[in-house]
Amino acid sequence: MPRSRSSSEPTRTEGTDLSVPTLRPGMDGREAKRSTVDDSVEVRDVPAAGWYQIRNPIRFGLTYYVFELCKHLPPIVKNPVYRAFGVEIGTDSVLAPAVVVDPFFPERITIGEGSLIGWGTKLLTHEGYTDEWHVGPVEIGDDVTLGHGSSTRPGVTIGDGATVAAHSFVNRDVAPGERVGGVPIEPLSSDE
């Protein structure tokens, strides 16, 4: 079902690279337009099959294969590589093996100091639908534990000192110090 838009809502984005902070002409020569789902997630009017309009295929391919290799390297080696591709990673943070760092928009991921990202966790900054893409940041604070096998949606912030249980789906912001888990996440009591 299509969403209704108010007259004050900005128009949607048309096929340009989201990493560019200012508007510029789209790949098809039309003026780029942006809109948001919430405060931090942008909507792009590009069908799933048109992913190459969102990100240069050569850049995506290079990023994808480098990140696949990084999944199997120790943090002392992979963290500098992720940083070179735009991921902000604080000191003493650990990305366990098999963590998926979104190769489409790695520059939209921020991980604070002393955080642990568990085995096989997915840090996703985009969602593709049949007729549009949602793109937003993933912000992880300091001293966060993100349990193995968890997934994030674009646009979420996990506050300092928060704990996310294993195999959880982070579909909303997590307050500092909050303990959450489940699919989708819910607050966990102290005896769980």
Side-chain angles (χ1 to χ4, degrees):
M1 176 197 271
R3 292 189 306 255
S4 62
R5 292 190 343 193
S6 69
S7 60
S8 64
E9 183 178 331
T11 54
R12 295 170 174 259
T13 311
E14 310 261 343
T16 58
D17 189 341
L18 286 174
S19 65
V20 178
T22 58
L23 297 178
R24 63 183 179 81
M27 292 180 75
D28 58 2
R30 293 181 289 181
E31 185 65 24
K33 300 171 191 163
R34 297 177 189 250
S35 71
T36 59
V37 173
D38 60 28
D39 290 341
S40 63
V41 178
E42 299 177 41
V43 175
R44 306 294 304 263
D45 277 333
V46 175
W51 67 269
Y52 57 87
Q53 297 174 34
I54 298 286
R55 190 58 107 189
N56 179 304
I58 295 170
R59 176 180 172 165
F60 169 77
L62 173 65
T63 305
Y64 174 81
Y65 286 111
V66 169
F67 285 9
E68 283 296 303
L69 174 64
C70 283
K71 286 181 184 180
H72 311 287
L73 298 174
I76 196 167
V77 176
K78 69 178 153 188
N79 285 2
V81 174
Y82 286 138
R83 287 182 186 114
F85 280 84
V87 180
E88 292 183 35
I89 303 175
T91 57
D92 299 324
S93 286
V94 175
L95 279 72
V99 169
V100 175
V101 174
D102 194 326
F104 272 100
F105 303 102
E107 69 278 1
R108 290 180 175 251
I109 297 173
T110 302
I111 301 169
E113 297 185 9
S115 292
L116 172 64
I117 311 302
W119 191 294
T121 294
K122 296 171 186 68
L123 304 176
L124 303 177
T125 58
H126 80 281
E127 292 178 325
Y129 297 94
T130 56
D131 61 345
E132 65 187 22
W133 285 57
H134 294 185
V135 179
V138 171
E139 298 175 355
I140 300 170
D142 297 337
D143 301 312
V144 169
T145 300
L146 188 53
H148 75 274
S150 296
S151 296
T152 64
R153 284 190 79 181
V156 299
T157 298
I158 302 173
D160 294 346
T163 300
V164 178
H167 301 286
S168 296
F169 176 53
V170 183
N171 64 330
R172 64 168 176 83
D173 290 348
V174 178
E178 187 176 13
R179 295 179 67 234
V180 297
V183 178
I185 57 170
E186 296 177 358
L188 297 176
S189 66
S190 59
D191 59 331
E192 289 185 70

